[in-house]
Amino acid sequence: MSRRTVAELSRSLARGEFSSTELTRDYLSRIKQFNGVYNAYITVTEELALAQATAADQRRARGEHGPLTGIPIAHKDIFCMQDVRTTCASKMLSNFISPYNATVVERLNAAGTVTLGKTNMDEFAMGSSNETSFFGAVRNPWDPERVPGGSSGGSAAAVAADLCAIATGTDTGGSIRQPAAFCGITGFKPSYGRISRWGMIAFASSLDQAGPISKSAEDAALMMNAIAGPDSKDSTCVDVAAPDYMATLNDSLQGLRIGVPRQHLAEGLGAEVESALQAALKVFESLGATIKEVDLPNSHLSVSAYYVIAPAEASANLSRFDGVRYGYRCADPVNLEDMYKRSRSEGFGSEVKRRIMIGTYALSAGFYDAYYIKAQQIRRLIKQDFDNAFKDVDVIIGPTTPHTAFKLGEKNSDPVTMYLEDIYTIAVNLAGLPGMSIPAGSHKGLPIGIQLVGKDFDEARLLNVAHQYQQNTDWHLQRPEV
Amino acid sequence: MALEKSDVEKIAHLARLHIDATEAQEVANRISSILDLIDQMQSVETRNVAPLAHPFDAVQRLRPDVVTEKNEREYLQKIAPSVQKGLYLVPKVIE
Amino acid sequence: MVWETVIGLEVHVQLDTKSKLFSGSSTTFGAEPNTQAGIYDLAMPGTLPVFNEAVLRMAVKFGLAIDAEIGRRSVFDRKNYFYPDLPKGYQVTQLAFPTVGKGSLQITLEDGSEKVIGITRAHIEEDAGKSLHEDFQGLTGIDLNRAGTALLEIVSEPELRNAKEAVAYLKKLHAIILYLGISDGNMAQGSMRCDANVSVRQLGAKEFGTRTEIKNINSFRFVERAINHEVQRQIEIIEDGGRIIQETRLYDADKDETRSMRSKEVANDYRYFPEPDLLPVVIDEAYIEAVRAELPELPNAKRARFVNQYGLSEYDAGVLASSRVMGNFYEEVVKICGDAKLSANWVTVDLQGLLNKSDLDISQSPVSAARLGALIGRIKDQTISSKIAKTVFEAMLGNEQSVDEIIESQGLKQVTDSGAIEKLVDEVIAANPEQVAQYRAGKEKVFAFFIGQAMKVSKGKANPDQLNALLLQKLKG
């Protein structure tokens, strides 16, 4: 039963084929069996899960359930969960028991989901391979020698290996979409502002967005219905109620205008990814869509601008980790400065420190205009590129990643090589648009993802397009042999 | 843009990070290579482009002036490294 | 050499809101340490700010009161630095786009002349917590109750030319803030704090001298002393051939000196950038007009009205309009007794003298407006004389009796019975034949002697007008 989608599990629970408690036990035993291999979870909340499952079964018996009641779920360890250790995969927070719940957690709890645990990730979400975690690398269920992608690598691996039915992730530059592509599952990043960031430990505040990592677009829509919408605790969360994402899943794609970015088909794109993309476009054509090329002339600058904006915001966001009120404090500080410097240097890993340094540098006197302001100007150009493209098309479809999952350690030595992994996904965050990755092929036993990008707050259309594709293909149903 | 060791030390101090003298050069090299990537931005003319600080084109919401938090000091200080008499303790602050 | 002093003030005013600038924590003064520090104030990871509506309203109110440009689109920025009383490692403030832009404040100098001081800006920002250095054997204790409380930082142009002007500016600012009700203005509790940028230059020079910033000035008196001390220090250094170093200095009230804050010497690089957790604050015309409608009458308008409505002198009107409480007190007294000029005298001279002597504020006056009004009423209806009124006033301090009860029980009521006064006059004339003869011989100055004698006998209670008339009539005989 652990292989099924949330939609299927929900129907089975409704029909009484099994209870949430039975389902939860099944997942917990798979976690015990396989987490040692994949290292997808940092913390397994077995007791909590069983209690929530019991409560969900009672709720269902009383008829007070929704589609997610009793569904076993995993949360990326970036979401604060009250009285549960929330580490952000960092030594800095390795003993941090959160005193409150993230809004995403709160809403999923209210929907009756069962929390299996907290998933592994790149430290503070800074990474594209899940190798920067203080708790060790996550392995790709399709090939344990390879990375699952990052930063939501634990959530992606857990969904792919059926160690949960669905998971939460966060995406700052591709952290939901790229691991979804590498692990052969569906990853959805909503528009900036669609989901509250309250309780989601900040990496880059103007880019971060939570979203579902799931086995299908339909499952993503189910989770979106539970978590999207206004939150008075987050000023940057949209004030408008979210639509019912399930309602439009089955709309026809007849007349859909798809744009394919010319720049994404250029050099650097692996041949296997390109042919998977072309095949997917044929499927969309067969469903009544029209395809045309669109221009995103500044997209090649997105990585450069991102590596100013994200580290700049991060450098301030991570200043609160000072060893005073919570988190790691070094042993026997000789004075205040020593406490700050050693707590932070011992508590943060090298990639996190590197990004804090870059951000600090970009904001420092004399460099602010050349780096920070320049990056924001590029950001404007990139957003304008999308605005122009969307005058002619409804969705933009291209590759999620240049190639399939790479090997552990393969890109560790040079940060720049690693940063370029997110070349297709980053621009979407800079522009604040919704984007998703869905499985659309396979090469040498490794999944290939394609990326769908929508207009601002047009998540429903993206989910509809992805769902229709999945109704007519079975890439999303393929699972690794665990 | 190549960073010197001394630049690294200055930035590290601003960010309150400790960098060993032995690591400083390597850190400088790595950051320099990232700055080379970043410097690709300079290839585009942006003189008349307004900076975009935030993708979300909306205005700030206002919160009513109401006290919603209660005293949770004991609970919140359970996770603190060092407290005494309700205060967070740190090495002596010199003014 | 003649030196000119150049002073600019940065005044931090703690806004009197129930909750903090960006969180729902209470702002009550004097609570147990860290009992008013919630998860946002403690910078727990994942927490986010939401802007307090009352803070915006108060800032705009202040802006309108000083005729400032109101920022239609203000933006919050992060100011980055590490300090244990700054939990997030950055302070949320407004750098390029403050809510209140250029405005001005009219101050009254000692010679009664007016001077307009430019206000550069007033921006909204978060307060820090407090570091407590005692009791912890080499450690510092951090209390974050104050962290995140809303401040309005009001920055003046460097247009103040001596310490007295600085004090006058500060007092006027204080009055306006209390008028507006946006802060309790309590300097001792830190609700209003002042940093002074001070420099000296040769009189007539165009360029400013190097300035120092004096921090931690927490009373009107200290502002004057700290500035005077710093000016003297700078002049001495320059006259000895030295140079002023741009630095931050701390005023030590106990030693009456400023000293360098070495810990702040390291050139700081605050790395300001727009706070991405908050969106631009946009204010429209309707909002501004709604706030304008809430504005109370301000000191200058009140002073003008007092002159027109009550016929007071500019000076008296200025004193009475100097604070909202004082103005209200005065008007209540007038309402009760119906005599504006007498009321002005009593409030500005007798009552103010009493308050000064006991170092009290008008709001702490031991005599209520109602009782003072009643007292003046009794002067007006000639129940007592002005002189007797001072005795009654003294008596009012020590007891809760009404003015009439005091007059009654102490037998202070004025004698207006013409029969009784005539009898008194007759007695005095009969007892002093020598003086009567002198008067009648043309030595009219002796008249005052008779008044004195009559008052003495009547214990001051004889109605002076009647006494005068009768004495004159009888002496002329």
Side-chain angles (χ1 to χ4, degrees), chain C residues 375-386:
Chain C
L375 176 65
I376 299 169
R378 289 295 168 260
I379 303 171
K380 209 174 170 239
D381 69 10
Q382 304 205 328
T383 307
I384 52 173
S385 66
S386 289

Side-chain angles (χ1 to χ4, degrees), chain A residues 100 197 199 235 317 325-326 340 365, chain C residues 42-43 45-46 49 78 84 87 269:
Chain A
Y100 77 109
R197 293 185 296 117
S235 302
N317 282 334
R325 299 160 311 284
Y326 52 81
Y340 279 141
Chain C
L42 293 171
R78 292 183 180 179
D269 183 343

Side-chain angles (χ1 to χ4, degrees), chain A residues 294-305:
Chain A
V294 291
D295 252 322
L296 299 174
N298 294 290
S299 64
H300 66 290
L301 296 172
S302 61
V303 177
S304 304

Side-chain angles (χ1 to χ4, degrees), chain C residues 36 117 122 155-156 179 182 216 332 337 359 414-415 459:
Chain C
Q36 293 178 171
I117 304 299
V155 183
S156 86
Y179 260 82
I182 60 173
N216 195 33
E332 205 182 325
C337 73
D359 202 15
Q414 188 160 257
V415 178
K459 298 195 177 81

